[in-house]
Amino acid sequence: MTYISGMVAPVPTANRQAFLDHARQAAEHFKKHGALSIMECWGDDVPGGETTSFPMAVKLKDDETVVLSWIVWPSKEAADTAFQAMMEDPAFSPETNPMPFDGRRMIFGGFEPVFEV
């Protein structure tokens, strides 16, 4: 069964192109390591909430946009291998290729699909 890696992050709105460039580079790496599909979504209608919301979850600032991303993998093992390879690849080190957003406020995780239509 497939496996999903998901991420929600606050990206400075002015860094949209830098984010897209960074995401494209990462997508090439993930595809090389077996990703079946990759989706990057720029927030368009992401309301704040009173109890929970995407903006609250990432401590969104006024000059930022919420980004939602996911990767479909053939398995958890493929996802783990790809992320480990990325951590070891100097091309993705924070010094060489800093993220164009505050990674400390990024939410991410791996998910086992239980239903798909």
Side-chain angles (χ1 to χ4, degrees):
M1 177 169 266
T2 59
Y3 190 74
I4 309 298
S5 297
M7 179 200 68
V8 178
V11 178
T13 303
N15 286 1
R16 181 178 173 141
Q17 190 57 54
F19 172 79
L20 291 172
D21 294 344
H22 187 83
R24 282 187 183 96
Q25 181 184 12
E28 288 177 24
H29 171 85
F30 292 138
K31 291 294 276 188
K32 180 174 74 175
H33 286 280
L36 301 174
S37 68
I38 300 162
M39 181 68 70
E40 298 290 348
C41 305
W42 192 260
D44 177 56
D45 183 12
V46 186
E50 292 184 23
T51 305
T52 63
S53 70
F54 282 118
M56 290 171 69
V58 297
K59 298 182 179 176
L60 192 72
K61 297 177 182 174
D62 289 341
D63 63 343
E64 295 176 326
T65 300
V66 174
V67 169
L68 170 67
S69 308
W70 66 88
I71 305 170
V72 179
W73 299 98
S75 66
K76 182 180 187 320
E77 293 75 25
D80 290 345
T81 298
F83 281 107
Q84 184 61 40
M86 180 178 260
M87 299 303 282
E88 295 169 0
D89 188 336
F92 291 101
S93 74
E95 297 78 27
T96 305
N97 189 1
M99 291 187 292
F101 58 90
D102 184 355
R104 296 170 299 174
R105 293 184 287 138
M106 174 175 62
I107 300 167
F108 59 91
F111 299 85
E112 175 187 342
V114 294
F115 182 83
E116 183 175 350
V117 176

